[in-house]
Amino acid sequence: MREMLKSLYQENVLRAIDYQFCQFISVQEQSACGDFIAGWAALVSYELGKGHVCVDIASLDTQSVFDLPSAQSALFSSVMKPESATAMLHKADTVSDGSLPTPLVLQGTRLYLNRYWQAEQTVADQIRRRCQPVEVSNACKPLLDELFTPDIRLLKKLFTNWSPDQRAVKIRDFFDISPDAHTNIDQLIEAVETDQNAETVLALVNQSDCLNWQKVAAATALSYRFSVISGGPGTGKTTTVAKLLAALVASSDPASYPEIKLVAPTGKAANRLTESIGRAVEALPVSNEVKNNIPVQASTIHRLLGAIPNRVEFRHHKGNRLHLDILVVDEASMVDLPLMARLLAALPDHARVLLLGDRDQLASVEAGAVLGDICHAADGRYSPVRAGLLSTMTGYQLEETETATAVSDAVCLLTKSYRFHADSGVGQLAGAINKGSIPLVRKALAKGYQDIELHELNNDTYLRAVSLATSGYQNYLSLMTSDSCDAKAMLSAFADIRVLCALKEGPFGVSGLNQAIEDSLAGKGLLSPGDELFYPGRPVMITQNDHGLGLYNGDIGIVIEHEDALRVVFEMADGTVRYLLPSRLPEHQTAFAMTVHKSQGSEFAHTLLIMPPTPSPVMSRELVYTGVTRAKERLDIFTTRFSLERAVNSKTQRFSGLSELLAG
């Protein structure tokens, strides 16, 4: 076994850390099965590198151990013997059930590294303890009614743009009226058309016919200490949270308003949350006193916990809790298992926790799929007691199920998109991808939507992609060279278009496309890179957190001439701009193109999604869905139809035991 593992390491199948860990285990293991245990240790470490929290021996595909071809895989399987592995692992000195401080932990048929088993246990324990109802103030129901009353002024503005044959469908959509409802739609249309007042129009809507899931989501979070609001782009998660926080503040004692913190996993996501929550709070129909007690400044999770430079520990932990009453975590799908464990462990016992995110997006780069595991059993139905409470708070009749758990009672799924409507190709394609339906994907691409196009990837279309990117990036470069360069406007213009890649390397990856776009812009005289690493106009993306500078993984800046020297300008979380010498930057890379993973938490008016013409293991349904939903107005996909459909059919499964722990 040792020679086989050494061979895999020499062939770059195993990483150095995988090989060193199995060597460590073989030295520590005193039993007669040391080589056998070392093989499983190498596999656990290898799978961790792919995002799996554990190896489920019972579900192990013996035809692709270490992702090897079936013949090589079968050789390893014959030595590692999955059919008898559990019994042998129980006898090992380096394996326990978690009650002893061993490097490996075996729970049932799942084999973990101890650290990740501990993290999973912490997350499950923290969530289970917080999945309990809290007393709801009598003022909450009228507050929810007021906050979620449809804006009739907006309806009247929209109404004038609707054709007569659209109005019935649009009116139902606006009020969230079910198609089989008893509300007289013709009367509603007539009332809006004749400019009746808001009270008259609203009186015509039978509330029992409606079901606004945003209102249900707010009620869910108001009445539970732990809650999750999951939905795709444009489903109104931020708007819902702003109204929820308004209800919490307005129903609190003015002498002791709750301490609220907003966080996101990256600086870029925190900046975006700051912008969106600020707009949402400003539009709330509440007093200035309530607005002033709702925070609009978000930070990163690392900053909230108090990251210590060059150390893995944080200032806040189980022994030194955070000082807050309500925590909102945006883009929760990007939070890996160990970080979620540290965050939850650092919270005071009384704190409410709200996770926001899209359960269908790519999971975190590091191990775990915490949001997906939490939402695993959620289907929009609640236990009878929970459904009754939420119905009382919202006025809606909700579906019940006896199989709902305490955790699924904490989850609300938003499905109605306010950005992508029936005439949106991006929305239709995203929905088809999410369902894993190839016929629906084909239908969306063939229908002739004006905002999406699939380009069969070949030499000509590759050049077309580079040309589109070159044209799109001209705007920020023209702003950079203007006499009065507005740094914010320039950074905003750069964000109007982005090239997203499935791969990091090669002509279809980030490195190849960055070079191709840079060469194209230089060929048009828009850039002058020369032999210099830093030149005016070069966009850079931070790839390593620097808490001292306030720069985080994913932050983007642009090199410009400032005060007779080259500086890199960034927009910070508080909306200010900061100019830094290139020599001060932490690790970074050119950012004309970025991976789909790095784009999470961002949106671009025009998105170019480029995937290789032949399938790759990294291409999955979640990756395609995430890339597609970054587009706000226009999406161009460059790949082959075969490669796209293979990716849509490939749903990622990350092995962990969190869903099972939460269901117990």
Side-chain angles (χ1 to χ4, degrees), residues 338-389:
L339 183 58
M340 185 66 79
R342 288 169 178 244
L343 178 62
L344 294 178
L347 294 175
D349 291 337
H350 74 276
R352 295 174 184 253
V353 184
L354 170 59
L355 305 184
L356 301 177
D358 186 348
R359 65 174 181 173
D360 298 311
Q361 273 189 191
L362 281 165
S364 57
V365 175
E366 303 299 330
V370 178
L371 186 68
D373 285 341
I374 295 170
C375 296
H376 176 73
D379 61 359
R381 298 183 298 168
Y382 298 93
S383 66
V385 172
R386 188 85 172 115
L389 173 62

Side-chain angles (χ1 to χ4, degrees), residues 139-172:
C140 283
K141 185 183 186 309
L143 277 170
L144 286 177
D145 291 341
E146 181 181 354
L147 288 165
F148 287 93
T149 295
D151 187 345
I152 304 302
R153 292 172 301 175
L154 174 61
L155 171 62
K156 290 180 178 179
K157 289 179 182 177
L158 295 171
F159 189 84
T160 57
N161 297 321
W162 297 336
S163 63
D165 59 337
Q166 289 181 313
R167 288 174 178 173
V169 173
K170 296 285 189 180
I171 285 279
R172 281 194 179 94

Side-chain angles (χ1 to χ4, degrees), residues 430-441:
I433 291 167
N434 216 350
K435 293 174 184 174
S437 171
I438 299 302
L440 289 178
V441 169

Side-chain angles (χ1 to χ4, degrees), residues 158 161-163 166 169-170 173 417-430 443-445 447-453 632-635:
L158 295 171
N161 297 321
W162 297 336
S163 63
Q166 289 181 313
V169 173
K170 296 285 189 180
D173 185 56
S417 176
Y418 295 85
R419 184 200 304 167
F420 302 137
H421 293 288
D423 56 351
S424 163
V426 173
Q428 294 300 314
L429 179 61
K443 182 179 178 181
L445 291 171
K447 196 166 183 179
Y449 290 109
Q450 296 301 302
D451 58 339
I452 60 172
E453 185 174 355
K632 290 195 293 186
E633 299 172 10
R634 172 75 190 178
L635 171 70

Side-chain angles (χ1 to χ4, degrees), residues 111-340:
L111 185 63
Y112 297 80
L113 291 182
N114 190 296
R115 176 192 171 202
Y116 285 85
W117 177 80
Q118 294 281 3
E120 190 173 89
Q121 296 293 315
T122 297
V123 170
D125 179 61
Q126 287 287 334
I127 291 175
R128 283 195 304 254
R129 288 198 296 109
R130 294 177 193 280
C131 280
Q132 54 181 297
V134 293
E135 187 176 350
V136 179
S137 164
N138 292 331
C140 283
K141 185 183 186 309
L143 277 170
L144 286 177
D145 291 341
E146 181 181 354
L147 288 165
F148 287 93
T149 295
D151 187 345
I152 304 302
R153 292 172 301 175
L154 174 61
L155 171 62
K156 290 180 178 179
K157 289 179 182 177
L158 295 171
F159 189 84
T160 57
N161 297 321
W162 297 336
S163 63
D165 59 337
Q166 289 181 313
R167 288 174 178 173
V169 173
K170 296 285 189 180
I171 285 279
R172 281 194 179 94
D173 185 56
F174 185 85
F175 287 105
D176 298 292
I177 300 171
S178 63
D180 56 349
H182 301 295
T183 294
N184 190 317
I185 302 300
D186 290 336
Q187 281 187 347
L188 262 176
I189 292 174
E190 183 182 353
V192 177
E193 201 167 26
T194 57
D195 201 25
Q196 298 296 312
N197 61 42
E199 290 75 14
T200 301
V201 174
L202 288 170
L204 295 172
V205 180
N206 187 344
Q207 289 302 305
S208 63
D209 293 337
C210 304
L211 181 49
N212 182 337
W213 281 103
Q214 289 187 0
K215 188 176 183 181
V216 175
T220 301
L222 274 169
S223 55
Y224 235 41
R225 200 169 300 284
F226 174 84
S227 55
V228 177
I229 300 176
S230 177
T235 51
K237 297 187 292 294
T238 306
T239 300
T240 303
V241 169
K243 292 179 179 180
L244 160 67
L245 296 179
L248 284 167
V249 170
S251 60
S252 300
D253 183 351
S256 57
Y257 283 128
E259 181 73 17
I260 304 169
K261 297 293 183 183
L262 311 174
V263 295
T266 67
K268 179 174 58 178
N271 288 351
R272 188 159 168 260
L273 177 59
T274 297
E275 293 172 7
S276 57
I277 201 78
R279 290 194 299 268
V281 169
E282 186 58 35
L284 290 173
V286 295
S287 68
N288 287 334
E289 182 182 2
V290 171
K291 289 182 182 180
N292 292 338
N293 283 280
I294 302 174
V296 294
Q297 181 66 53
S299 75
T300 63
I301 296 173
H302 287 79
R303 181 175 287 277
L304 176 73
L305 289 175
I308 304 172
N310 304 315
R311 293 177 64 182
V312 296
E313 294 88 0
F314 293 103
R315 292 188 178 89
H316 292 286
H317 44 75
K318 185 177 180 180
N320 180 31
R321 306 288 183 93
L322 291 160
H323 300 287
L324 56 82
D325 301 303
I326 300 167
L327 177 68
V328 177
V329 184
D330 196 20
E331 297 293 350
S333 65
M334 298 168 64
V335 184
D336 60 68
L337 178 69
L339 183 58
M340 185 66 79

